Amino acid sequence: MKFIVIGITDHPQPWFPPEVMEVIQQGRVFSGGKRHHEIVASLLPDDAQWIDITVPLDAVFEQYHDEVVVFASGDPLFFGFANTIKRKMPEAEIVVYPTFNSLQMLAHRLVMPYHDMRIVSLTGRPWPEFDKALIERAEKIGILTDKEHTPATIAQRMLEYGYTNYTMYVGEHLGNPEKEKVTTLTLEEASKTEFSMPNCAILQSTQKEPSLLCTFGIPDCEFALLDGREKMITKMPIRLLTLQALELPKKKVLWDIGFCTGSVSIEARLQFPHLHIEAFEIRSECEAIIHENARKFGAPGINVHMGDFCSVYCDSFAAPDAVFIGGHGGHLKEIMAKVLQYLKPDGCIVMNSVKAPKVTTDSHKLWDEACQELGLHQEPPMRIVIDEHHPIEILKCKR
C-alpha cells in the first residue's frame, strides 16, 4: 500500500510544482476532506475516484487499496493525516509533499519568529495540553482550533483561570486571498468574537513576570476554606511532603479522594502540570470551594466528582498510579479495596493521619488493618509536627 500525501492551503486556485502536478495527473484514486475536494476538483483526471475522509476513519481506510493520493491541510506530518496513516497502517509506504501549516502562515503574516512557539492542537482533542502550556507560563502558544475549541472559548477559559497577560492573534482562511483575515485582540475582545472556520490562533505573553501566584507551596491563608475552618486543609509543608511521597514527577494519573478545599489537587496541578487529576468529595458544599480555588490559583483541568467515593462509577476514569486519601469518614478499608481495583501495578497510596487526643477514629490503626487485609506493603511512616498543631504521620503503601 502506498500513500502520496499532498499538503494544500485554503487557496481556491492552488499552485503545485511540476513534480506534484505529474503525481496528480497520473493518479487514479484520490482522498481528502470535502473542502479539499472542492479546491482540487478541477485538477483531477476525468476518471478519478474520490474517497471522502469522514468519521469513522476505519470505514475510510477499508476503501484504500494499492496507491492513493491524499490531499491534506498544510504539512501532513504536523498533526496531519500522514500521522494517521502511520498509526493505522504502519507498514504502508508514505511520500509527503508538504506546504506551510496554518500556524506558520499566521506567523508569516505577523512577521513573528516562531522557532520558540509552543504548539498545542485542540482539533478534536481535549484541554489538557493547552492547560499545561498555561500553567507552565509558555510565552508564545500556537493553537490549532476546531468548532468547539474556538478562539472565543479559548479566551474565555484563560480569563476564567486568570491568565490575562496574553494577546491573541487569529488567522482565518489563511492562504485564501478572498477570505483571509488576521486579527489582533485582547482576550476580552476575543472572548466575545465569532470567527469563521478554518482558523488558528497564536497567544503572545504581554509581560515577563506571571500575573498569577507562582510559588512552590501555596500559603494556607490564600485558600477558600470549608466553613472558614483552617483545620480542614492539608497544611502547606505537609501538602508538599505528601506530593513528594506520591512520587508525582514520574506519575501520570492522580486520584484525590476527599479533596475538601482542593488544596492537594491544586498544588499537584500547578507543580506537575502533566498530571491527569480526578478529585472526589462527598460533601456537596466543597464543589464550589474547589472551583473557586482552582480559578484563583490558575489550575484548570481538575476533574471533580461529587458523592460517596465507594458508590461513584469509576470504570470510565483514567486508572491511577498515585492515590491520596484526604478523608475517609471511617470507611478507609472499603475505599482502599475499591482503589485496588483500578490502581496500576507501580502505583502508590498515601494518607495523612492526625495524632490528636480528641480524635475518636484512629486512622493509623485503620490503615494498618487495611494494608494487612489487602496484602499491601507499607513504607516507614513520616512523622511531622508544625508549630502548635498536632503531629501528622504521612502513611504510604504499595502493592
Side-chain angles (χ1 to χ4, degrees), residues 103 117-121 140-144 201-203:
L103 288 173
M117 185 160 62
R118 178 84 162 265
I119 306 298
V120 174
S121 175
K140 189 185 298 179
I141 310 173
I143 310 168
L144 300 176
I202 294 177
L203 295 168

Side-chain angles (χ1 to χ4, degrees), residues 150-204:
T150 66
T153 59
I154 291 167
Q156 290 162 12
R157 188 175 184 84
M158 296 175 71
L159 292 171
E160 179 181 2
Y161 288 95
Y163 292 91
T164 58
N165 58 313
Y166 284 89
T167 297
M168 178 179 282
Y169 305 93
V170 179
E172 304 167 74
H173 297 283
L174 294 170
N176 187 324
E178 298 177 358
K179 297 182 179 180
E180 180 175 296
K181 183 179 180 181
V182 175
T183 313
T184 302
L185 312 99
T186 65
L187 293 180
E188 289 79 5
E189 292 169 338
S191 69
K192 302 172 184 176
T193 305
E194 291 187 12
F195 301 91
S196 59
M197 295 292 293
N199 62 58
C200 64
I202 294 177
L203 295 168
Q204 175 71 63

Side-chain angles (χ1 to χ4, degrees), residues 233-244 264 324 352 382-386 390-394:
I233 185 173
T234 303
K235 297 295 185 291
M236 186 262 285
I238 303 298
R239 195 185 316 135
L240 297 181
L241 287 171
T242 298
L243 300 188
Q244 183 275 333
V264 170
F324 175 64
N352 298 333
M382 183 184 299
R383 184 181 176 91
I384 308 293
V385 178
I386 301 175
H390 296 297
I392 301 285
E393 288 185 319
I394 299 178

Side-chain angles (χ1 to χ4, degrees), residues 100-117:
F100 290 120
N101 65 61
S102 59
L103 288 173
Q104 286 177 310
M105 295 176 70
L106 180 54
H108 294 164
R109 303 296 188 268
L110 298 168
V111 194
M112 175 188 289
Y114 59 87
H115 61 277
D116 57 346
M117 185 160 62

